[in-house]
Structure formats: C-alpha cells, structure tokens
Amino acid sequence: MNFNNTLTKHLDAMSNKQFEIFMSTVCADKITLIMPNGSLISKYEDFYELHKEWFSDSDWSIDYTILNTIESSGLSSALLSIDYKDLDENGKPVSMTYYLNLMFEEIQNEWLLIHDQNTIYKK
C-alpha cells in the first residue's frame, strides 16, 4: 500500500470511528502524539487507550481538508485543517479548529503513523 492509500485509510477510519482499522495504520514501536493542549504521549499503550476511548464516544464528528502532503522514499507527511465538533460533559456543543500534522514512515513496505501533532488555531 502506498502513502496516499494509507493516509486515506487512516483518515477514513478516523472519520467513521473504525478503531481497529485506524490502529492498523499506527506504528506500535514508535508513536508520538502532541495534543492541542501541548501534552505529549509517546507510549503506544497510552495512544491506544486514548483513541479507544475517543472512538467509543458517539458525540463527536470531524471534517478535514488536506492542506498539503510531502512524500519521500522513507518518510511522508500530511498537514490537515480539522473542524471538530463534540458535546461537553453537560451536553453543550463544542467546536474546535486545529491543524493536524501526520508523519508516516515506510517500515517493511508498509506506511505507518509515527507522529501526530495537533495545534489549535483561530479562524
């Protein structure tokens, strides 16, 4: 599978809340997640649990626009603009716009996510 196919698989799985498909695109040996608040997750188990809980929540939706991609022989990245909608603990609508930077590495002929960075911006 090439980088673009993997990126599409990853993003479709995220949009459709297909947890196992989403996780099949993530490198278990090295993953870094930087959350919008700046917190860092660098253990696969923590990444897994966070996303398992997130995907099980039915309140959120996500739309994205791919701003650019950079492809090379071993590392490739995608920069996206994300429009995220959710409900807070009181059921009030919450929305957030942020950049999502994804980096994939080709490992044994398979593209896997190794870096996921989220940065909030104002429209």
Side-chain angles (χ1 to χ4, degrees):
M1 186 176 293
N2 68 28
F3 167 67
N4 282 319
N5 290 343
T6 301
L7 178 61
T8 298
K9 179 180 178 180
H10 183 84
L11 296 174
D12 286 350
M14 182 174 59
S15 295
N16 296 315
K17 300 179 185 178
Q18 297 170 311
F19 176 69
E20 294 302 327
I21 295 172
F22 175 85
M23 290 306 299
S24 75
T25 64
V26 176
C27 182
D29 296 330
K30 52 180 168 180
I31 182 65
T32 302
L33 169 63
I34 300 174
M35 300 292 288
N37 66 3
S39 63
L40 174 68
I41 293 174
S42 58
K43 292 182 182 172
Y44 178 82
E45 296 79 17
D46 296 338
F47 184 94
Y48 182 96
E49 289 302 321
L50 175 82
H51 284 85
K52 183 176 181 181
E53 183 179 325
W54 182 48
F55 276 58
S56 69
D57 180 359
S58 62
D59 296 336
W60 62 269
S61 66
I62 197 164
D63 291 309
Y64 62 85
T65 302
I66 297 175
L67 300 176
N68 73 19
T69 58
I70 299 171
E71 293 184 57
S72 70
S73 61
L75 291 174
S76 294
S77 68
L79 177 63
L80 296 90
S81 175
I82 301 291
D83 185 18
Y84 179 80
K85 296 189 182 344
D86 202 348
L87 299 176
D88 69 12
E89 59 276 352
N90 299 316
K92 292 183 180 180
V94 175
S95 79
M96 179 177 17
T97 52
Y98 60 95
Y99 292 116
L100 175 61
N101 188 35
L102 302 173
M103 183 171 293
F104 291 80
E105 182 176 358
E106 188 176 24
I107 302 170
Q108 298 177 350
N109 297 320
E110 185 176 22
W111 287 95
L112 296 171
L113 181 70
I114 61 167
H115 182 79
D116 176 330
Q117 183 166 348
N118 304 262
T119 305
I120 295 174
Y121 70 89
K122 296 186 188 250
K123 287 186 177 179

